[in-house]
Amino acid sequence: MDQNRLSITDQRTGAQYEVPIVDGTIRAMDLRKIKTSPDDFGLMTYDPAFLNTSSCRSSITYIDGDVGILRYRGYPIEELAEKCSFLEVSWLLLNGELPTPEELGEWTGLIKRHTMLHETTKKFLEGYRYDAHPMGMLISTIAALSTVYPEAKHVFDADNRKLQIARLIAKMPTICAYCYRHHFGLPYVYPDNDLNFTENFMNMMWKMFEPKYLANPILSRALDILFILHADHEQNCSTNTMRCVGSAQGDPYVGCSAAAAALYGPLHGGANEEVLKMLDLIGSKDRVPAFIQQVKDGGGKLMGFGHRVYKNYDPRARIIKWAADQVFTVTGYNKKIEIALELERIALEDEYFIKRKLYPNVDFYSGIIYEAMGFRPDLFTVLFAIPRVVGWLAQWQEMLLDPEQKIARPRQIYTGHDERHVVPMAERHVSASGDA
Ligand code: ACO
């Protein structure tokens, strides 16, 4: 007897159904045949916020949230962070295997060739107010690139896809640095192809009068590691947005712009900026217990804590803590780490957080490192988006090539009125709820 099936008895009708179980999953469409009558639509599932719904098959990133495992294409995140560069990992995520030396050379060359922004895009950025939030600038500038590269619409042309993917990855640091310099009225620094990915980014951010900006190698490597840690994280809110927008077969610029918009929210990538605001608000280590009590009493969330998938420990947070120590050897100690460590210590001993399995996530420590390196808090989410664009694009490409995927279009349970008819204006009265 095939045991990989679910037997269902519909108590409404007494009818029995057999539903296959594949990979620990039943197909929601198999439930549609469960009907009370021939004209019944059929049974649906209700899963707000996708708590228990797989929306795709993916071979890119594996997470076991109960034990704190994260792997890209099978490789543990710890090994990739220790032994690889961000561009190597980008190739891995996009192509499935680590690159050979020739492939990495070609890939690095391709990225370097596309770091420049079209001068009209630079002018577009100049139109923002000096105090525009960099995430708002980033989201709209990525969308604007869709007008610069209209051929990107040919999403089923593999060579074209490769070109647009390289353009997006290459231009993200340039856009970020331009956003930063715009705020201060500093002249833009054009990309320097003698430098590697993170050195070039740091050069575009901070070069002033010196003929050649020399990034500290410990800092540029720490940034590279942070980029590796943020490159992909399977079906999170922004990646799901990328797949959803991409399922309508729009170009990757509008998809990445929408994904970046999802990332901006404080419950997702915007949390790193919120963590810094929270640490500033707490102000000192001795005020941590009072703040924890306030959170437990319902007065806000402990930002940088909790995760939909990780219910043990976010393995990225552990690596970030290690990277923070490296960065502090160069920049000096960021005193906010004391407050963060105290928050973590108390929260991990507290019944409220233990019961809800709330642990520090990737955003809890990343902002402290970024700030120590000299990045302003409003750039933190942009720093998240620079590497995450790789994950969005890898997932987008996988979705496009998956014959099972169609335009994303969930169902709903309608809770509104039955059919009713328009009352003439003169006969309308204020409703019981007070709404007209
Ligand atoms: N501080 C205090 N309580 C929390 C926190 C937190 N950070 N996170 C969750 N809880 C509580 C909830 O209030 C809820 O309590 P209840 O059962 O008494 O109602 C319980 O823990 C379960 O939380 P949910 O909101 O159901 O968990 P969900 O999986 O929907 O949310 C999320 C996950 C959004 C990350 C949430 O933990 C959160 O808001 N964290 C703070 C923001 C943050 O750090 N986001 C970054 C996540 S990582 C990333 O996106 C890159």
Side-chain angles (χ1 to χ4, degrees):
M1 188 170 112
D2 179 10
Q3 297 195 321
N4 286 320
R5 64 205 167 93
L6 181 70
S7 302
I8 301 173
T9 305
D10 186 347
Q11 299 294 348
R12 298 172 301 176
T13 60
Q16 299 215 324
Y17 302 86
E18 298 289 320
V19 176
I21 301 174
V22 180
D23 296 327
T25 309
I26 60 163
R27 283 189 176 254
M29 278 305 285
D30 283 342
L31 302 180
R32 190 71 79 72
K33 63 188 175 194
I34 302 178
K35 298 180 178 211
T36 51
S37 64
D39 58 353
D40 179 8
F41 182 76
L43 201 64
M44 291 194 299
T45 56
Y46 176 56
D47 189 11
F50 304 119
L51 289 175
N52 195 35
T53 295
S54 308
S55 62
C56 62
R57 292 179 165 276
S58 181
S59 60
I60 300 173
T61 290
Y62 173 77
I63 300 175
D64 185 335
D66 290 331
V67 282
I69 287 176
L70 169 61
R71 297 183 196 132
Y72 295 161
R73 302 283 189 184
Y75 295 102
I77 192 67
E78 294 80 4
E79 249 180 79
L80 293 170
E82 187 190 336
K83 298 182 179 160
C84 297
S85 69
F86 170 65
L87 283 187
E88 262 179 279
V89 171
S90 305
W91 174 277
L92 170 72
L93 285 167
L94 288 160
N95 299 294
E97 296 298 335
L98 283 166
T100 62
E102 294 74 34
E103 285 167 337
L104 183 61
E106 194 205 317
W107 175 233
T108 307
L110 186 65
I111 295 296
K112 285 189 172 178
R113 231 178 3 264
H114 292 288
T115 46
M116 260 329 176
L117 288 180
H118 194 285
E119 286 294 303
T120 55
T121 308
K122 200 181 93 179
K123 288 208 182 89
F124 176 86
L125 277 159
E126 280 164 11
Y128 283 97
R129 286 171 57 118
Y130 76 97
D131 59 351
H133 194 286
M135 272 308 279
M137 295 172 79
L138 179 80
I139 292 162
S140 49
T141 307
I142 299 174
L145 292 179
S146 163
T147 66
V148 182
Y149 305 111
E151 75 279 12
K153 288 183 177 62
H154 304 298
V155 294
F156 290 107
D157 173 340
D159 289 339
N160 183 42
R161 258 199 328 266
K162 187 176 170 189
L163 175 63
Q164 310 310 332
I165 286 173
R167 278 183 172 147
L168 263 158
I169 296 170
K171 291 181 201 310
M172 288 293 285
T174 318
I175 300 172
C176 176
Y178 277 29
C179 292
Y180 168 75
R181 296 186 77 100
H182 177 72
H183 177 87
F184 291 103
L186 292 167
Y188 301 132
V189 174
Y190 285 88
D192 181 340
N193 279 358
D194 289 346
L195 305 174
N196 73 25
F197 193 79
T198 46
E199 286 166 351
N200 173 51
F201 174 45
M202 294 163 88
N203 172 60
M204 291 188 293
M205 286 286 298
W206 294 313
K207 180 173 153 53
M208 295 302 275
F209 308 105
E210 63 277 44
K212 200 86 181 161
Y213 177 87
L214 289 179
N216 182 295
I218 295 178
L219 299 188
S220 65
R221 177 60 185 146
L223 194 55
D224 204 62
I225 290 173
L226 285 163
F227 283 176
I228 292 171
L229 301 183
H230 286 87
D232 192 51
H233 212 233
E234 54 120 301
Q235 307 313 314
N236 54 79
C237 179
S238 55
T239 303
N240 183 51
T241 304
M242 180 78 196
R243 280 182 174 260
C244 180
V245 174
S247 76
Q249 300 181 3
D251 72 54
Y253 298 101
V254 293
C256 282
S257 172
L263 189 75
Y264 191 6
L267 297 192
H268 190 15
N272 52 15
E273 186 181 344
E274 297 301 318
V275 170
L276 253 276
K277 284 188 203 158
M278 178 185 77
L279 296 177
D280 280 338
L281 188 76
I282 298 171
S284 61
K285 205 173 141 181
D286 55 303
R287 294 174 62 181
V288 167
F291 184 79
I292 297 259
Q293 191 55 48
Q294 185 186 317
V295 169
K296 284 162 58 179
D297 293 343
K301 280 187 170 173
L302 182 49
M303 297 311 286
F305 256 68
H307 199 276
R308 172 63 60 78
V309 182
Y310 292 121
K311 298 298 175 196
N312 174 307
Y313 202 88
D314 184 337
R316 301 169 298 175
R318 194 174 286 133
I319 303 170
I320 287 186
K321 251 165 118 176
W322 172 86
D325 289 336
Q326 305 297 305
V327 167
F328 295 157
T329 61
V330 180
T331 63
Y333 201 56
N334 182 342
K335 285 201 85 174
K336 285 178 192 153
I337 192 101
E338 281 176 13
I339 306 174
L341 287 169
E342 184 67 356
L343 272 173
E344 179 179 344
R345 189 187 68 75
I346 296 184
L348 294 186
E349 286 172 357
D350 192 295
E351 190 51 29
Y352 176 96
F353 295 89
I354 295 170
K355 203 173 110 202
R356 291 170 178 78
K357 300 189 173 175
L358 299 171
Y359 294 88
N361 59 49
V362 67
D363 288 326
F364 192 63
Y365 288 105
S366 62
I368 297 175
I369 306 189
Y370 290 143
E371 192 182 56
M373 283 179 169
F375 292 105
R376 287 153 39 97
D378 64 0
L379 274 179
F380 293 173
T381 312
V382 179
L383 293 171
F384 191 151
I386 291 174
R388 181 53 61 86
V389 84
V390 174
W392 294 334
L393 291 165
Q395 301 267 351
W396 166 72
Q397 183 157 255
E398 187 179 65
M399 181 271 308
L400 280 179
L401 302 179
D402 180 348
E404 277 204 302
Q405 289 292 339
K406 289 169 179 276
I407 188 165
R409 203 320 185 168
R411 295 278 175 178
Q412 65 168 8
I413 301 170
Y414 177 66
T415 60
H417 291 278
D418 273 343
E419 185 183 11
R420 53 186 182 156
H421 299 286
V422 176
V423 175
M425 186 65 80
E427 294 169 29
R428 289 182 214 162
H429 305 290
V430 174
S431 70
S433 69
D435 295 334

